[in-house]
Every structure is written in C-alpha cells, then in structure tokens.
Amino acid sequence: MNMICFDLEGVLVPEIWIAFSEVSGIPELRRTTRDEPDYDKLMRWRMGILREHGLGIREIQDTIAKIDPLPGAKEFLDELRSFQQAVIISDTFTQFAGPLTEKLGRPTLFCNELVIGSDGMIEGFHLRIKDTKLATVKAFQSIGYETIAVGDSYNDLDMLKASKTGILFRSTEAIIRDHPELPACETYDELMAAIKAAL
C-alpha cells in the first residue's frame, strides 16, 4: 500500500508569503524555506517583520482568499486521488491552508497552528510535532504504508529521503544540483509519470 505525501506551497499552490510580500509591499517577506532551511528561525523573523508593520492574521487571510491553486494542480490531484491515497504534509498553518485546500477538493491536510492574540496579531505558532514532515512519513510507514513524497524546498528533503521515492517538483537549481539522487520534475504530467513509475 502506498501513501503519496505532498508539500503544499510551491507544489500545489503558490507560496503564501511571496503573495503577501507583493500585496504588502514588504520585499523581505519573500524569503521562504527555499532560502532558509531553519523553519523556526524563518517564522520568528517573519513575525518580527509583521509586528514592525502592524500586520496581523486578517491582512494575510485577505491575501490568501485571492490565491488559487497552481494551474493544473487540482486536476492533477483529482486524477491521482482516483487511484491512490494522497495527503498534504505542510509546515504552513490551518489558518492559512484551510481556504486553499477547499479549492483543491479538501484533501487530507497535516499542518501546524498559529497563536493569534486578541488584537489579531500573530503571537507565535504551535508545531504539531517536531520534524513534522519526516515524523508524519515515518508514522505512515510504521502502520504499513510505503510513502512517495513530493516537495520543493529544504524543509522537504528529510521527507523525500525517508520515502520509497522522493521527487523534487519545481525546486531551485541549488537544491536540484545538491541532490542529484532525487528525480526532479517541472510539470504535473512529468510528476504523474514519476509517481506511477514508483508505484
């Protein structure tokens, strides 16, 4: 039995922080896990910038409401889910991902939670479990699933390497160069072919 495990941002939907950076006019918020491997450091840095500019959850959610899945993502996921089980394992937060998964047909989502103050400011975050993506893949494996994982960033690498097959999708040149052992795809047709070959 197989479980196909996907990262969310950059794989199925655009990067939320990049979209919010463009709307807010704050270029520093373009930094993502493609640039910074330490997720805790990245999130604390982001929260500092939001506080500095007086921006909270409402402003981010207003941006997210206008984001659609990447072209072809929903159709790809619908086709895949017609013959395989698939889940999304993301370092994002339920407050961000909920509206996006609605547009993807409500696939199962494992992610984290933001801590929101009474003033609507983001005060912190609660990680579901340490090493979320790797721990979730290992949990599936412990109950009899073989995993095929798809991601694009540094924080996906442990999940990809621990799986029967790990696939980079629309990743950076640096990550692809540094991990030649991982197949790299640029289109959903290529990704579907790679997944089918791994089954």
Side-chain angles (χ1 to χ4, degrees):
M1 290 186 291
N2 293 283
M3 184 67 72
I4 320 299
C5 303
F6 289 90
D7 178 34
L8 179 63
E9 294 178 63
V11 174
L12 298 169
V13 303
E15 293 279 355
I16 292 168
W17 288 100
I18 290 177
F20 187 61
S21 168
E22 291 169 357
V23 169
S24 66
I26 304 170
E28 294 88 349
L29 289 175
R30 289 186 63 84
R31 191 166 179 78
T32 71
T33 51
R34 288 174 168 223
D35 311 299
E36 173 54 67
D38 187 330
Y39 187 74
D40 186 76
K41 177 181 175 183
L42 177 63
M43 270 308 298
R44 294 190 186 288
W45 181 75
R46 286 168 171 165
M47 289 189 305
I49 292 173
L50 292 174
R51 275 190 226 102
E52 180 184 327
H53 290 272
L55 298 169
I57 188 67
R58 183 180 57 79
E59 290 84 359
I60 299 172
Q61 287 178 328
D62 286 348
T63 297
I64 291 169
K66 299 176 184 133
I67 295 175
D68 287 321
L70 292 170
K74 184 179 186 303
E75 295 77 9
F76 162 81
L77 206 54
D78 286 346
E79 180 184 348
L80 181 67
R81 292 168 70 200
S82 73
F83 65 90
Q84 282 294 311
Q85 297 183 89
V87 298
I88 295 172
I89 308 172
S90 175
D91 280 337
T92 192
F93 307 96
T94 55
Q95 295 95 332
F96 289 1
L100 296 171
T101 55
E102 286 286 339
K103 295 178 182 181
L104 288 168
R106 294 185 58 82
T108 299
L109 170 69
F110 295 88
C111 66
N112 302 307
E113 289 279 336
L114 288 170
V115 178
I116 309 295
S118 58
D119 59 356
M121 299 299 287
I122 299 173
E123 295 183 346
F125 55 95
H126 177 70
L127 298 181
R128 183 172 50 81
I129 191 171
K130 188 177 185 299
D131 299 322
T132 303
K133 295 181 181 185
L134 177 61
T136 305
V137 160
K138 286 186 172 179
F140 282 128
Q141 293 166 348
S142 76
I143 56 172
Y145 287 97
E146 290 191 286
T147 57
I148 296 169
V150 181
D152 69 325
S153 297
Y154 285 108
N155 66 333
D156 298 317
L157 291 173
D158 287 342
M159 168 176 81
L160 301 184
K161 291 178 181 179
S163 293
K164 174 177 75 170
T165 302
I167 304 167
L168 290 168
F169 185 69
R170 296 181 182 172
S171 189
T172 66
E173 289 183 13
I175 293 174
I176 293 169
R177 183 189 63 240
D178 292 345
H179 297 279
E181 74 280 9
L182 297 173
C185 301
E186 291 295 321
T187 70
Y188 289 116
D189 286 345
E190 291 173 352
L191 183 56
M192 183 66 77
I195 290 171
K196 286 180 175 178
L199 294 174

